Amino acid sequence: MKETDKFAATLLHWIKDILNTFGMSKEMTNKLDEMIYLILILIIAFVIGKLVHLIAVTFTLKFRNVKILSSLIEYNALRKLSWIVPPLIVIALLPFAFVGKPDVLNIAEKIAWIYFVVVLILSVNVVLSSVGKVILNKGELHDRPMKGFIQILQVLFSFIGIIVIISILIDKSPFNLITGLGAFAAVLMLIFKDSILGFVAGVLLSQNDMIHIGDWIEMDSAGVNGVVMDISLNIVKVQNFDN
């Protein structure tokens, strides 16, 4: 028996003993024990998640002179990363909450897995943002369009996460869904046309060292002239002479 199974069995046995102590009938005990167990594992999962967050913050503060760790604190990335822990604990202990109820267990597990995937997407995107800030602050990369690369990674990871969530909902392999998306490639390319073109432009700008933050540019056709303030996935922000 796995350690998680032993813990779950012990917890359920402890709940039954307490209910029997209060004089609950066997029928009432069988109705309440699983509900109380579910509430307890949710509390335990989020308490452990909070402890993981506190430990991570304490450790990080000792080395906050490291730029990447300092950036993680600034973006509150550690808190979001700690959110990954509770759904994993719940998923491991959940089967004991719905013994003999496979349909209810299936729905509960889907909710837990979807929550995990959503939190994972948010966490990775925040980590990428914090890493991107460190990269952008480096002298040799400060004036390069690195923000666009970070954004395309965030878009790709979010897209994969959405595919996984859909696969969980319909009980299909995400690989089958991705294969099936080939038929909609043209539609997706049309929807994300600006982002794709912007990313390609960002690659060209970076490789050929064509434009930097702080450069003065003029585009008479669009009535734009001023200093380049930011270069992202598909936008170059320019501050005009009149601010």
Side-chain angles (χ1 to χ4, degrees), residues 13 26 34 37 45 55 65 81 83 85 91 112 138 140 161 166 190 193 199-200 205 221 238:
H13 182 72
K26 186 176 181 180
E34 291 181 354
Y37 171 81
I55 292 170
N65 56 322
L81 284 170
W83 291 349
V85 177
I91 290 166
K138 285 190 173 183
E140 63 273 19
I166 294 173
L190 182 62
K193 180 184 69 174
F199 175 64
V200 174
L205 290 173
S221 60
V238 177

Side-chain angles (χ1 to χ4, degrees), residues 71 74-75 128-138 150:
S71 183
E74 181 180 345
Y75 278 84
L128 286 173
S129 295
S130 60
V131 171
K133 181 180 178 182
V134 175
I135 293 174
L136 289 171
N137 287 335
K138 285 190 173 183
I150 298 297

Side-chain angles (χ1 to χ4, degrees), residues 49 52-53 56 72 76-88 116 119-120 122-127 130:
V52 169
H53 173 241
L72 288 174
N76 205 19
L78 296 176
R79 180 180 296 278
K80 290 182 174 62
L81 284 170
S82 68
W83 291 349
I84 296 174
V85 177
L88 293 177
F116 170 76
V119 169
L120 184 62
L122 294 174
S123 302
V124 171
N125 284 343
V126 170
V127 170
S130 60

Side-chain angles (χ1 to χ4, degrees), residues 2-186:
K2 296 186 296 184
E3 293 301 321
T4 52
D5 293 348
K6 289 181 181 179
F7 174 79
T10 302
L11 186 59
L12 266 174
H13 182 72
W14 176 72
I15 293 170
K16 289 179 182 290
D17 286 344
I18 291 178
L19 291 176
N20 290 330
T21 301
F22 283 101
M24 294 282 184
S25 63
K26 186 176 181 180
E27 182 181 351
M28 185 63 69
T29 298
N30 291 333
K31 288 182 179 179
L32 291 178
D33 60 350
E34 291 181 354
M35 184 184 300
I36 296 172
Y37 171 81
L38 180 60
I39 294 171
L40 280 178
I41 64 172
L42 288 172
I43 294 172
I44 290 169
F46 282 97
V47 167
I48 292 175
K50 185 66 176 177
L51 289 174
V52 169
H53 173 241
L54 291 174
I55 292 170
V57 170
T58 303
F59 173 81
T60 305
L61 287 174
K62 292 182 179 180
F63 301 94
R64 64 184 312 162
N65 56 322
V66 179
K67 290 183 179 179
I68 183 63
L69 296 179
S70 178
S71 183
L72 288 174
I73 294 175
E74 181 180 345
Y75 278 84
N76 205 19
L78 296 176
R79 180 180 296 278
K80 290 182 174 62
L81 284 170
S82 68
W83 291 349
I84 296 174
V85 177
L88 293 177
I89 295 174
V90 171
I91 290 166
L93 299 175
L94 200 56
F96 285 84
F98 302 104
V99 177
K101 302 174 183 175
D103 293 337
V104 179
L105 175 61
N106 184 43
I107 294 172
E109 285 182 332
K110 283 184 177 182
I111 293 172
W113 276 116
I114 290 171
Y115 176 81
F116 170 76
V117 174
V118 171
V119 169
L120 184 62
I121 292 171
L122 294 174
S123 302
V124 171
N125 284 343
V126 170
V127 170
L128 286 173
S129 295
S130 60
V131 171
K133 181 180 178 182
V134 175
I135 293 174
L136 289 171
N137 287 335
K138 285 190 173 183
E140 63 273 19
L141 298 174
H142 176 69
D143 54 358
R144 295 297 183 92
M146 300 302 297
K147 190 173 181 179
F149 294 110
I150 298 297
Q151 288 178 330
I152 199 67
L153 286 174
Q154 291 174 326
V155 170
L156 286 173
F157 193 82
S158 298
F159 178 74
I160 293 171
I162 292 170
I163 294 295
V164 172
I165 289 173
I166 294 173
S167 70
I168 292 171
L169 288 172
I170 63 176
D171 288 324
K172 296 288 184 181
S173 168
F175 298 104
N176 293 338
L177 287 177
I178 292 172
T179 303
L181 283 174
F184 301 99

